[in-house]
């Protein structure tokens, strides 16, 4: 840490190093003017310092891929009200995600995947009307998928596989006209013993790029409304009880384009490349997600 307070330092990126030990508890006091802070992919342990709340202009904070424990400090959830990107993925954070005392209403991307969070998805997130990406996979979350998620109209990615969520998929999701990815696999609802038929209202989700409904109990015919999903690039309906014909009109979707350019090459998780969440000027970059796709009884990861 610097000897004196650095008021004018706006960006600090020390990611992908071999830093160990605790993140200094007074970091917010010494660097109060930070707007972008990236400490990801190190070996920091201990708790998240509550002094992050002293960074009153902080827009992006990435401390993912470390060995942090404990919970998200309540003072940070109240004081970092300018935060737009919060990436805490792949640590060992515990407890409930947020308490009722919550003021991060400017969040655009929340990445909490790969931790040990418990309890329900907190209702405090219903205030985040700018939220475009919600990543909660690989935790121990339980309860129902909240209906108020359908009122967050900026949502594009809802990624929540590998939890203990249950109950129905809310009809309110049909209001999310910007939605591109919805992954609820490996819960108690999807991959997941889904029954019935593919709903005719599926065309009300025009931004869907990947539709993966494999390994369920879906029956009936494949609806022609799938042809209205002009952006869809992968459809996996394998291992169900479908009957009838494949709609010929699917050639009018992105499925007919050169798929070698549409998807990334395959890799296994052990050799997956490091992802960067911030460009040099601090603006957010896309977060890659791996999807499993089955064809001719062979499963591939894209």
């Amino acid at each position: 840490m610097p000897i004196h307070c650095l008021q004018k330092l706006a960006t600090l990126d020390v990611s992908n190093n071999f830093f160990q030990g605790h993140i200094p508890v007074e970091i917010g006091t010494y660097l109060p003017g930070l707007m972008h802070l990236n400490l990801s992919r190190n070996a920091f342990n201990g708790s998240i310092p509550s002094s992050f709340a002293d960074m009153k202009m902080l827009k992006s904070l990435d401390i993912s891929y470390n060995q942090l424990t404990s919970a998200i400090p309540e003072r940070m959830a109240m004081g970092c009200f300018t935060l737009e990107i919060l990436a805490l993925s792949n640590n060992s954070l515990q407890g409930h995600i947020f308490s009722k005392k919550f003021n991060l209403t400017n969040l655009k991307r929340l990445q909490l995947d790969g931790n040990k969070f418990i309890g329900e998805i907190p209702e405090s997130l219903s205030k985040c009307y700018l939220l475009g990406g919600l990543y909660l996979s690989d935790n121990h979350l339980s309860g129902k998928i909240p209906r108020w998620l359908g009122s967050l109209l900026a949502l594009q990615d809802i990624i929540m596989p590998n939890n203990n969520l249950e109950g129905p998929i809310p009809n309110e999701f049909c209001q999310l006209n910007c939605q591109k990815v919805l992954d609820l696999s490996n819960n108690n609802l999807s991959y997941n013993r889904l029954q019935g038929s593919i709903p005719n209202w599926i065309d009300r989700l025009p931004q869907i790029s990947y539709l993966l409904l494999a390994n369920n109990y879906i029956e009936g015919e494949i609806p022609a409304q799938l042809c209205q999903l002009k952006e869809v690039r992968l459809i996996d309906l394998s291992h169900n009880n479908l009957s009838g014909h494949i709609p010929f009109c699917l050639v009018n979707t992105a499925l007919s384009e050169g798929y070698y350019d549409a998807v990334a090459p395959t890799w296994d998780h052990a050799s997956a490349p490091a992802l960067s969440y911030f460009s040099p000027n601090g603006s957010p970059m896309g977060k890659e997600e791996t999807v499993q796709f089955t064809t001719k009884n062979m499963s591939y990861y894209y």
Side-chain angles (χ1 to χ4, degrees):
M1 295 297 296
I3 298 176
H4 303 290
C5 175
L6 298 181
Q7 294 278 356
K8 296 183 178 180
L9 187 65
T11 300
L12 177 62
D13 187 342
V14 294
S15 59
N16 288 281
N17 282 288
F18 298 96
F19 289 118
Q20 301 178 3
H22 289 50
I23 300 173
V25 294
E26 72 277 16
I27 186 170
T29 304
Y30 281 91
L31 303 171
L34 279 185
M35 299 177 66
H36 307 285
L37 176 59
N38 191 346
L39 306 177
S40 65
R41 298 185 181 275
N42 284 287
F44 289 118
N45 55 34
S47 302
I48 299 174
S50 61
S51 67
F52 281 138
D54 296 327
M55 300 177 179
K56 299 302 183 183
M57 296 183 288
L58 192 64
K59 289 188 175 182
S60 58
L61 174 63
D62 188 348
I63 47 179
S64 59
Y65 291 92
N66 281 286
Q67 300 165 17
L68 300 170
T69 56
S70 192
I72 300 175
E74 187 174 273
R75 181 169 172 243
M76 173 181 156
M78 287 294 295
C80 294
F81 51 85
T82 58
L83 261 184
E84 296 179 0
I85 300 174
L86 178 59
L88 306 178
S89 309
N90 295 287
N91 283 283
S92 295
L93 299 173
Q94 304 173 7
H96 293 268
I97 292 178
F98 293 117
S99 67
K100 292 183 179 180
K101 294 183 178 180
F102 175 86
N103 199 26
L104 307 182
T105 54
N106 289 305
L107 280 177
K108 296 181 179 179
R109 181 181 296 270
L110 180 61
Q111 299 170 197
L112 304 178
D113 46 298
N115 283 287
K116 299 178 181 179
F117 289 116
I118 62 171
E120 298 184 352
I121 299 172
E123 189 174 359
S124 53
L125 290 177
S126 63
K127 306 174 185 177
C128 301
Y129 295 110
L130 302 177
L131 193 64
L134 180 61
Y135 305 91
L136 302 177
S137 60
D138 299 287
N139 280 286
H140 305 297
L141 300 176
S142 57
K144 294 184 178 181
I145 300 173
R147 298 174 61 179
W148 50 256
L149 280 174
S151 66
L152 303 182
L153 301 182
L155 273 174
Q156 296 185 22
D157 298 342
I158 301 178
I159 312 293
M160 301 190 293
N162 301 312
N163 282 288
N164 300 310
L165 300 171
E166 59 186 12
I169 300 173
N171 289 334
E172 286 78 2
F173 279 13
C174 297
Q175 302 170 184
L176 301 175
N177 293 327
C178 296
Q179 188 169 37
K180 294 184 177 180
V181 181
L182 173 62
D183 188 349
L184 305 175
S185 58
N186 291 308
N187 281 284
N188 295 323
L189 41 95
S190 190
Y191 203 147
N192 277 329
R193 304 187 182 92
L194 286 178
Q195 300 179 5
S197 58
I198 300 173
N200 292 333
W201 52 254
I202 192 73
D203 59 351
R204 292 167 60 184
L205 305 174
Q207 298 297 319
I208 283 182
S209 299
Y210 309 101
L211 181 63
L212 309 176
L213 299 175
N215 296 279
N216 283 288
Y217 302 109
I218 300 172
E219 57 187 10
E221 297 187 355
I222 301 174
Q225 284 83 354
L226 286 183
C227 301
Q228 303 301 316
L229 305 180
K230 301 300 183 182
E231 302 298 322
V232 70
R233 296 180 178 275
L234 286 177
I235 296 179
D236 189 353
L237 307 177
S238 60
H239 301 285
N240 280 291
N241 299 316
L242 295 168
S243 58
H245 301 284
I246 300 173
F248 180 77
C249 57
L250 287 174
V251 299
N252 298 323
T253 68
L255 288 173
S256 62
E257 299 176 4
Y259 61 90
Y260 293 106
D261 297 324
V263 295
T266 59
W267 65 69
D268 59 39
H269 290 281
S271 61
L275 304 181
S276 175
Y277 301 111
F278 302 101
S279 63
N281 63 4
S283 61
M285 300 176 69
K287 185 178 190 299
E288 294 186 11
E289 289 292 334
T290 300
V291 296
Q292 184 179 8
F293 177 72
T294 303
T295 178
K296 296 183 179 179
N297 287 325
M298 296 291 291
S299 293
Y300 301 92
Y301 287 93
Y302 293 89

